[in-house]
Amino acid sequence: MAKYRNQLPRLSGDFFITNGGLETSLIFHEKRELPCFAAFIILQDESGCDWLRNYLSKYADIARQYNIGLILENVTWRASPGWLSKLGYAEDDLVYINQKSIEILDDIRMKYETEKCPIVFSACIGPRADGYKPGVLMSSEQAQAYHARQIEILSKTKADMVTGTTMNYPEEAIGMARAAKQVGMPIVISFTIENDGKLATGQTLQEAIELVDAATDKTPIYYVINCAHPSNFAHIFHSNEDWSRRIHGVRGNASKKSHAELDESTELDDGNPLEFGADNLALLCKLKNLNIFDGCCGTDYRHIEEICKTCIPVFDQIRLNKHY
């Protein structure tokens, strides 16, 4: 049974972190082959499972040290029907991989969770196409039909929520949200944005959020921004607009490069963790409801720890000022 599905603790506004860029850590630090960026392949053997436990435990250590919440994300970004088929997996593997990916998180929660450090399980769902380029666009009805099976499987695990990660057009996000609502799963939508702060389709983040909210009666519990360096999109936020209050999380890239440049990179650009912390702080001062800090491509535990060092004192002061 899911522990927090009916009462997600981060909705109280407490400070939460998640892990950094798992796929880029596997590829560039561990020198592992990840066809199609499919991190779930590490679940195939015990050594891969052990690596994942050790990797996630680093972030659990940080959360315990700072007495903050942790969102543990699983490895199912590429574990949807189309991608599994493309990678040569059978239909039965869809159930096993998605279930196993959540079961492995249990060990970490049992070891690290405290009253001051709640640990939430988030099941990651990726786009049907590429995370940077949408390719052929689905209608919201097509997207709902495509994502429904994976979300249904995850709804029967201990996952507290699902997160539609690297969404790059609203219709797919709408379909995901409707599929999650159908099985009673809380869902978060995380949009990929370019260095100009817009989606790959040219739509603004405001347009995307407002379209999804209008089409789903605000089904997503909140929104996240992913796959761009925090300094690249700070300029799009102005004076606490209503749509920006729906954003609770930021999942920035370590690099300031464009997506096209990153696609061509043969070496990891892990940026500057100190700058990364400072640039997340700038967003904290702009986004009224920001309380969840993640890391995307190129980030690791150093980047997340810098966020904690830099942002938590200011976050606590902002909350204190609101109280008085």
Side-chain angles (χ1 to χ4, degrees), residues 186-248:
I187 186 168
V188 168
I189 295 297
S190 184
F191 279 115
T192 298
I193 59 174
E194 303 293 324
N195 282 1
D196 61 1
K198 296 181 179 179
L199 278 65
T201 55
Q203 293 163 299
T204 66
L205 183 60
Q206 177 178 356
E207 289 170 335
I209 289 174
E210 289 178 346
L211 278 169
V212 176
D213 273 351
T216 65
D217 194 25
K218 292 190 174 181
T219 290
I221 52 177
Y222 59 84
Y223 292 87
V224 176
I225 304 167
N226 64 255
C227 279
H229 192 277
S231 65
N232 289 342
F233 56 84
H235 66 280
I236 69 174
F237 302 112
H238 307 283
S239 65
N240 289 324
E241 297 155 305
D242 286 343
W243 68 273
S244 69
R245 296 185 185 211
R246 294 282 281 137
I247 300 169
H248 282 248

